[in-house]
Amino acid sequence: MPLEYTAFPTPLPDAAVRLCLIFFEKVHQELAEKVERASREIASVLPDTYDMHLTKRSHYHITIFMTSQPHALRPDPFDPSHYDLDMSTVQDVSCMRPHESVLEREIQTMKDIVAQHKSPVFRVHRIVLADSGTLLLCLVEISPHSSVFHMRKAFRKAFPGSPPKQSTIYHASLGRIVTPEQLSEEKRRKIHDMCEAWTRQLQGHEFTVDELFHVREVQFTTVEGPRDESDKIRQVILEHAPFLKESDDGKKIVCLLNNHEISYRLDAINAFVSGKKYRRLRSRKEAEEWTEKYRPFLVPSVNYPNMLFCSLTNHVIKKNRQSVDEHLKGKKFQRAQENFQNDRLELYEEPTIEEMEAAIEEMEQENSMEDFEFINDKDIDGHEQMNQHKRHRDQKKESDVSVKRTRKYT
């Protein structure tokens, strides 16, 4: 049964057990779900008096290499003298805790080795109940370059002080019978037949592995424990480049859109990039960069920092990709662009707010003076003045409407 290493009769120190592995569910979730159903169905065949601990689907894993094991602790796998270390001679197990610098070097070494090999490919071989009572999913590597085989050789060379006994087959433990009594021949045959039936369903399934994990196991047989997330964090940074980068000291993530610093944690960076503020800033920046090819038609507004000015339509639009797309597809823009290309239209220059206010004030003054001069014409009597004034107003309105229509269809 799963047991915390700190609850062992001789408690193990933090990070005492470390391994490099593949999490099965992360590379092929659908297959992992089928395997989970298989393990539950096989466990249901056991007598009621038998107890079987089933592994959580999220814990299905293929061990690649262990730098330290519960029965073979290695505080420094780089030290060759630790290869034959006899744990029975160690009186104080607490001294077997690895130094943080060793852990950092260990993780980096694994990354360097993995980076030198192509992604491994596996194929399901069979499900079998071992004599030890462990239910196993057995696999074979079908990578053209035998990636995992060569990775293990490289790990052994890089970690000369690691435990001598390492896994040589590819398997995932699905469960373990914890009842000590032996099963009857009839029950063993029934379980065997069930395993064979599920083998026929799963055999031949293939999957490619894109990522490996370094885990500091804290619970026996469960691979529960802290996982190195730096590769995933770097993947997020790559996905959001060039807007995110690591800080110079490597302890923070910096958003180049607003110089905001984020904790170097996967949950923190995911929360930041999914937030409204980041999405809004990124949308504006992308629109700004994307509209460079539409200059001089779309330029930054001189009055509104978060807007764009269209020199073809004399409009301001929001600085985001969706608004720009809609504007460029609009009939008004396309018609204006055609007129410009045929020398029937000149580009507008966006006036400043002060210039617009001055122009409006000037227009109002001109209109006021026209009305004043016309109404005080001495050659027209009072009644005629009013009629002329009304006609003048009506003609002016019609003229304004005509101008607007002309502009609309130009």
Side-chain angles (χ1 to χ4, degrees), residues 14-62:
D14 181 43
V17 180
R18 308 179 304 282
L19 63 160
C20 175
L21 53 80
I22 297 164
F23 277 109
F24 191 69
E25 185 181 33
K26 290 186 176 295
V27 294
H28 202 315
Q29 184 171 352
E30 183 181 353
L31 182 56
E33 290 172 355
K34 288 183 179 179
V35 171
E36 183 183 41
R37 289 200 300 272
S39 62
R40 292 185 183 281
E41 194 169 317
I42 292 168
S44 68
V45 178
L46 290 170
D48 294 338
T49 55
Y50 278 72
D51 188 18
M52 185 175 192
H53 170 73
L54 293 176
T55 306
K56 292 180 181 179
R57 188 175 70 208
S58 59
H59 291 168
Y60 292 166
H61 68 279
I62 305 167

Side-chain angles (χ1 to χ4, degrees), residues 32-97:
E33 290 172 355
K34 288 183 179 179
V35 171
E36 183 183 41
R37 289 200 300 272
S39 62
R40 292 185 183 281
E41 194 169 317
I42 292 168
S44 68
V45 178
L46 290 170
D48 294 338
T49 55
Y50 278 72
D51 188 18
M52 185 175 192
H53 170 73
L54 293 176
T55 306
K56 292 180 181 179
R57 188 175 70 208
S58 59
H59 291 168
Y60 292 166
H61 68 279
I62 305 167
T63 299
I64 303 301
F65 196 82
M66 297 193 75
T67 52
S68 185
Q69 300 167 347
H71 54 278
L73 299 181
R74 298 294 187 265
D76 186 357
F78 296 99
D79 186 350
S81 66
H82 287 181
Y83 182 78
D84 295 321
L85 181 65
D86 185 358
M87 290 301 299
S88 63
T89 63
V90 179
Q91 299 192 8
D92 184 9
V93 177
S94 62
C95 69
M96 304 302 286
R97 185 185 188 283

Side-chain angles (χ1 to χ4, degrees), residues 233-234 245-253 262-264:
I233 292 175
R234 291 192 182 98
K245 74 163 191 173
E246 288 188 7
S247 61
D248 294 337
D249 59 7
K251 296 180 179 180
K252 297 278 187 179
I253 306 298
I262 313 152
S263 299
Y264 202 92

